[in-house]
Amino acid sequence: MGLLLIAACSSLAAWLWLTLAQGMFWRTDVRLPPRTAPARWPSVAIVVPARDEAEVLPRSLPSLLAQDYPGPAEVVLVDDGSTDGTAALALRLAAEHPGLPLTVVSPGEPAPGWTGKLWALRHGIAHARSRDSAEPEYLLLTDADIAHAPDSLRELVSAATSARLDLVSQMARLRVVSSWERLVVPAFVYFFAQLYPFRRINRPGGRTAAAAGGCVLLRTEAAVRAGVPDSIRQAVIDDVSLARAVRASGGRIWLGLAERVESVRPYPALGDLWRMVSRSAYAQLRHRPVLLAGTVAGLVLVYLVPPVALVAGLAAGRPAVAWAGGLAWLLMAGTYLPMLRHYRQPVALAPLLPFTALLYLLMTVDSAVQHYRGRGAAWKGRTHARPSDA
């Protein structure tokens, strides 16, 4: 019980530090900064990498074609080796939903050393910049499963020009319908914000950098200066790598939560969510066993020790253990409440966060196992080479 008391007190200390000193990661009020319409609306190319997206494209592509943007804009959809008729469907949707002009390009299989999405983005950006007219001043990089409100592009550009930002990214509101989605999805965003506190990212001159790949507005000049996507061509977690490259080259970046940019991709079963997390979790740890061991130990101490300490302390009549575990669990649940409210989920899910953290721990371990079996970063029938093999 002495060791459990030490663990419970350590967990409580960790939660006090996270709550007070980790950039207020638990707050959900980081939205687009104050903005006004520019005197001249810059040109924008919307680049959409798509691989076997026929299921979600009818709910996402029309929202891009219907953007109410006062300046010149176009949509470039990059068909990344789809086998489900994605390209033909995109052209049919463009005919049925007239709006912004759509071009569909197909770059072929990725060259050695490239991940599929970044290979697709490279060709989409190159196509947009190769037009006879002037190259676009901004690039909106958005996933094929992301639906945008009609004013989304206008608001993103207004924010970028008003605050003189090189990169503006919004964490799309993910789909939360099934029971497993309710349990796992809000926690996914909560954990992301804990690793990359938005306020620290948005601080001028800050060292923390991250973006949400589903919605990234990037100034073309900044992309050229940072050498992206070529400079990050092997990245599995491309959004964080993109933000780091832009910041390292002197660019100003911003990340916040979206209200009217939504993911339409369903993850109805636990297996669907498991694959979504495990395909990149070990890449987040840079494929290092020591970081994996530290992550597992950290998840156990921070998320699993509190409920165990509370129950064990009450059962053994050790009030100090129970109090330390209970207070840590209370802080955990309390910091999770704002994210649950953001996703319009019941507060009763807050005490279940230790169970969700256990699932993420197992997903992370499975990600490492799949990596060493040569199946790491597998997605839609394509397995990317390990960085050392590329």
Side-chain angles (χ1 to χ4, degrees), residues 152-189:
S152 175
L153 180 57
R154 189 171 68 243
E155 294 299 309
L156 285 165
V157 171
S158 295
T161 56
S162 297
R164 297 182 180 179
L165 297 167
D166 295 292
L167 183 152
V168 179
S169 181
Q170 288 187 294
M171 176 72 73
R173 190 187 296 271
L174 305 178
R175 179 184 183 270
V176 178
V177 176
S178 71
S179 298
W180 284 112
E181 287 172 336
R182 292 189 178 96
L183 187 67
V184 174
V185 168
F188 176 84
V189 183

